[in-house]
Amino acid sequence: MLPAPWSRSPYLNGEFAGAPVRWVHADADACVLVIGPAARPSDPPEDPDRIDYLLGLGDPERIAGLLRDVVRGDASVVRAEVDPFATVRRVFVEDGTFAGAVGERVHADLGLPAAESRWKWMWADSPLAVGPLVSPGRASDIGLSLGRLTTGPADGPVADEIGECLERAFPDASAGPCTTQALGWWGVRDSGRLLGVISALHVADGGAPHLSSLGVDPAARGRGLGKQLLSVAVRDLLAEGCAFASLGVYTANEPAWRMYERIGFQHGPSFVTYRLS
């Protein structure tokens, strides 16, 4: 249903592969669509009567114009008697979509609340450009080892170990050791003690893994261990046949996304998101 270039969007093919498209309105500069959550096992619907995502990709000003078309009924994307937004419960559009006069009007017409968050989606389809795990002449790195801890959700002692590490490194992590969508966990150890972890999640059948819960013990930060964890996870996932791996980062966290950029992650959409009750 999606015209080029949107049918080739890494974001859609990674995060929503196989999901049902309810309708789409697009041109060469922007695309708006309502898409179902069937391919998002990590986010089951809270209300079966309101489950779909409204997405806006491309030029923010043009996204606002396309949404205005749909609101006014100028775009024949669904039957005239059907509200095209009736089943939407999450809205992800390029940041800036609702900034201008047209966008402000569309925001009001859709009855959107205040923005929930602003974040960037990034992706890597080749090995990352990071240095060696052990820095020459740095005695503090001699005992370090890096590798895969699990090939799915963690259990038993390794789950306890990952959980304890996350309590120190990232207590608010969205994925815990036993998360059922986990494709695996990776860790870095110093003389056997786990200092940092990262997981990869299955978010869509046929899609790409999403990296999550990257955390490094505060006492071990500043040594590049986070980059090393990203590197080994991406390397292993690509070797297993994944087309790419993605991650999300808050827009305000510029040091983080600049670092991801430097080591080889590419920029996807920069979203502003809304949650409808």
Side-chain angles (χ1 to χ4, degrees):
M1 293 180 66
L2 301 181
W6 312 109
S7 59
R8 301 188 296 271
S9 162
Y11 174 71
L12 293 176
N13 283 287
E15 301 283 309
F16 287 92
V21 176
R22 313 302 186 192
W23 58 260
V24 59
H25 184 35
D27 59 21
D29 297 315
C31 175
V32 295
L33 68 156
V34 167
I35 192 167
R40 297 192 51 103
S42 62
D43 190 17
E46 299 168 3
D47 178 353
D49 296 322
R50 194 178 185 84
I51 61 174
D52 291 344
Y53 293 75
L54 171 62
L55 303 179
L57 306 173
D59 177 73
E61 186 175 350
R62 186 60 189 137
I63 293 170
L66 294 177
L67 285 172
R68 178 185 57 187
D69 292 346
V70 179
V71 168
R72 289 179 173 179
D74 296 338
S76 300
V77 294
V78 294
R79 300 189 310 277
E81 68 274 14
V82 175
D83 179 354
F85 305 103
T87 61
V88 171
R89 70 180 179 91
R90 297 297 303 276
V91 177
F92 295 179
V93 295
E94 291 274 3
D95 203 354
T97 293
F98 302 124
V102 172
E104 289 177 359
R105 178 67 189 197
V106 171
H107 184 283
D109 288 341
L110 292 176
L112 297 179
E116 179 184 34
S117 63
R118 285 177 162 81
W119 59 281
K120 292 177 176 289
W121 186 87
M122 304 182 74
W123 58 288
D125 60 359
S126 59
L128 302 179
V130 301
L133 175 61
V134 178
S135 303
R138 196 152 130 184
S140 62
D141 288 350
I142 298 303
L144 293 178
S145 62
L146 180 70
R148 193 162 191 164
L149 303 174
T150 74
T151 56
D155 59 12
V158 71
D160 295 338
E161 192 177 19
I162 292 170
E164 191 274 335
C165 182
L166 285 173
E167 281 296 317
R168 290 180 280 115
F170 191 3
D172 297 325
S174 58
C178 304
T179 298
T180 57
Q181 286 78 39
L183 297 170
W185 285 87
W186 291 259
V188 60
R189 299 180 184 276
D190 187 353
S191 301
R193 184 169 187 258
L194 198 59
L195 293 182
V197 293
I198 190 172
S199 66
L201 305 180
H202 168 80
V203 295
D205 293 339
H210 189 80
L211 299 168
S212 178
S213 301
L214 170 61
V216 174
D217 190 309
R221 290 174 187 168
R223 297 163 63 181
L225 301 185
K227 291 188 290 187
Q228 295 291 340
L229 285 165
L230 285 165
S231 178
V232 71
V234 169
R235 181 200 67 194
D236 288 353
L237 292 166
L238 294 178
E240 292 169 5
C242 298
F244 60 87
S246 67
L247 56 77
V249 58
Y250 287 117
T251 304
N253 191 0
E254 184 171 351
W257 60 258
R258 289 290 188 193
M259 182 270 286
Y260 300 148
E261 180 182 65
R262 285 194 300 272
I263 65 176
F265 278 90
Q266 303 177 61
H267 286 273
S270 292
F271 284 121
V272 56
T273 68
Y274 304 83
R275 185 188 296 270
L276 303 180
S277 61

